[in-house]
Amino acid sequence: MSVLEKLRRILPELSTREARAARHLMSNYPMAGLTTVAEFAKQSEVSTATVLRLVKRLGFPVYSEFQNALRSHIEETLQSPLMRLGERQTRDSQTSDTFFARTCARMAGHFQTLPEVLPEEEFNRAAKLLSDRKRDVHLLGGRYSSNIAHYMGDLLTAVRGRVQVISGQTQSWPQHILDMGRSSILVVFDVRRYQEDVVAFTHAAAKRGATVILLTDIWQSPAARSASVVLPFQVDAPSIFDVLTVGLGVAEGLVGAVASMADEHGQKRIEALETARAQLTEGYGTSRGEEQ
């Protein structure tokens, strides 16, 4: 579990001053924790003793171990496929298992341990928010994760209205901000080697009052600072590339949960959609026949 995830989990149990230091770290993660104890305390407007108590609550006996964990976070999040290539080649030479077998085992393990990584109450919170028809839903992803955003948006549209996927050139994104407010939900996908444009858009939407649901890796995108709900998942694999398989599963699970909460209006929407599809298919077949 990352330091950021630990912070989120223990936040309700912290004293007022400890929570102040924790929120400062969460808002400036991980750089705030890489300063000296005195500087961290000054920026958080608490005492050095408060900072050290927070660090111990996080499971680090001394401040240096806490900082080592933050440095490890930076190293892991900045890894590129090229950096992993040499490491994976060395590991591959040390095992007789096939690549396919290792991939299957890793994915199975990720799904099996998902409840330990992603709290069920957070998943349920996200599903409940998305099931609220009074809210408009917007979805945004990065270079690759945008494919999941589009897919999830398509599925959600079958269950509820007012769903929009943000796509196209980054320069066109600001116009979507204008339609966001306190009744809006922004679903964001952002995994390591996080995209600055996605993070910046998330912060801007949150400032407009939008409720942010973030699907990210276990190291967590900086967009987490503006998120109301964070749904982390594993992305590592035998491949030199991170995989979005588990993230796709979480997205599909959310849509399934929303569908299970569908009221009469939602059910009628699904029925109407199936009817429209059938009519369109019949019309397509007729028009082809007439042309012939």
Side-chain angles (χ1 to χ4, degrees):
M1 185 186 301
S2 69
V3 174
L4 187 57
E5 184 60 24
K6 289 180 181 178
L7 280 169
R8 287 183 171 276
R9 294 199 178 192
I10 69 170
L11 189 60
E13 306 168 6
L14 301 179
S15 67
T16 302
R17 290 184 176 277
E18 290 170 346
R20 183 184 300 171
R23 289 193 178 92
H24 172 69
L25 177 56
M26 292 168 68
S27 299
N28 302 275
Y29 189 83
M31 303 311 296
L34 294 175
T35 61
T36 64
V37 178
E39 186 63 24
F40 187 175
K42 180 180 179 181
Q43 292 177 353
S44 305
E45 298 182 351
V46 299
S47 66
T48 56
T50 298
V51 171
L52 292 176
R53 282 198 302 272
L54 172 63
V55 168
K56 287 184 178 180
R57 278 181 171 270
L58 290 169
F60 302 101
V62 294
Y63 194 71
S64 59
E65 290 185 14
F66 163 70
Q67 290 190 315
N68 286 339
L70 296 181
R71 292 189 185 97
S72 295
H73 170 97
I74 294 175
E75 291 174 1
E76 289 173 327
T77 56
L78 293 181
Q79 282 187 4
S80 68
L82 182 60
M83 291 174 62
R84 294 178 209 142
L85 182 59
E87 297 177 3
R88 298 298 159 88
Q89 287 176 336
T90 301
R91 293 178 189 174
D92 290 352
S93 65
Q94 297 173 345
T95 179
S96 59
D97 293 339
T98 65
F99 188 88
F100 178 69
R102 282 182 283 125
T103 299
C104 291
R106 185 69 61 84
M107 292 300 100
H110 285 344
F111 277 108
Q112 187 173 10
T113 59
L114 185 58
E116 300 172 15
V117 176
L118 196 167
E120 185 174 356
E121 57 269 24
E122 290 298 283
F123 177 91
N124 293 338
R125 280 185 60 201
K128 186 173 182 180
L129 284 166
L130 293 171
S131 67
D132 186 351
R133 291 190 292 106
K134 296 178 182 178
R135 291 176 173 268
D136 49 293
V137 178
H138 308 259
L139 299 98
L140 175 67
R143 180 180 177 184
Y144 298 115
S145 56
S146 60
N147 293 311
I148 302 181
H150 278 272
Y151 178 53
M152 184 177 178
D154 285 343
L155 293 179
L156 270 180
T157 302
V159 183
R160 53 156 300 157
R162 304 176 70 188
V163 176
Q164 185 173 14
V165 179
I166 301 167
S167 59
Q169 295 293 321
T170 306
Q171 290 82 355
S172 68
W173 291 5
Q175 64 196 42
H176 294 278
I177 291 286
L178 302 178
D179 297 325
M180 292 187 184
R182 295 191 178 279
S183 64
S184 303
I185 295 173
L186 174 63
V187 180
V188 179
F189 297 84
D190 193 32
V191 296
R192 66 178 174 181
R193 300 192 81 191
Y194 315 111
Q195 289 190 209
E196 293 183 5
D197 50 1
V198 172
V199 174
F201 186 94
T202 303
H203 294 332
K207 287 181 180 179
R208 295 278 295 185
T211 299
V212 177
I213 298 173
L214 173 66
L215 283 81
T216 185
D217 54 57
I218 59 173
W219 301 282
Q220 298 193 15
S221 161
R225 296 201 300 267
S226 296
S228 298
V229 182
V230 179
L231 306 178
F233 54 88
Q234 297 275 13
V235 297
D236 65 291
S239 170
I240 62 172
F241 301 102
D242 282 338
V243 294
L244 297 174
T245 309
V246 184
L248 176 60
V250 173
E252 291 181 318
L254 282 174
V255 176
V258 172
S260 71
M261 299 178 190
D263 54 15
E264 183 179 352
H265 182 276
Q267 293 173 4
K268 287 183 177 179
R269 179 181 178 85
I270 296 173
E271 292 173 359
L273 178 60
E274 291 300 316
T275 299
R277 282 175 174 163
Q279 291 174 342
L280 184 61
T281 301
E282 292 172 0
Y284 175 69
T286 302
S287 62
R288 283 177 59 102
E290 290 175 351
E291 288 176 1
Q292 295 173 351

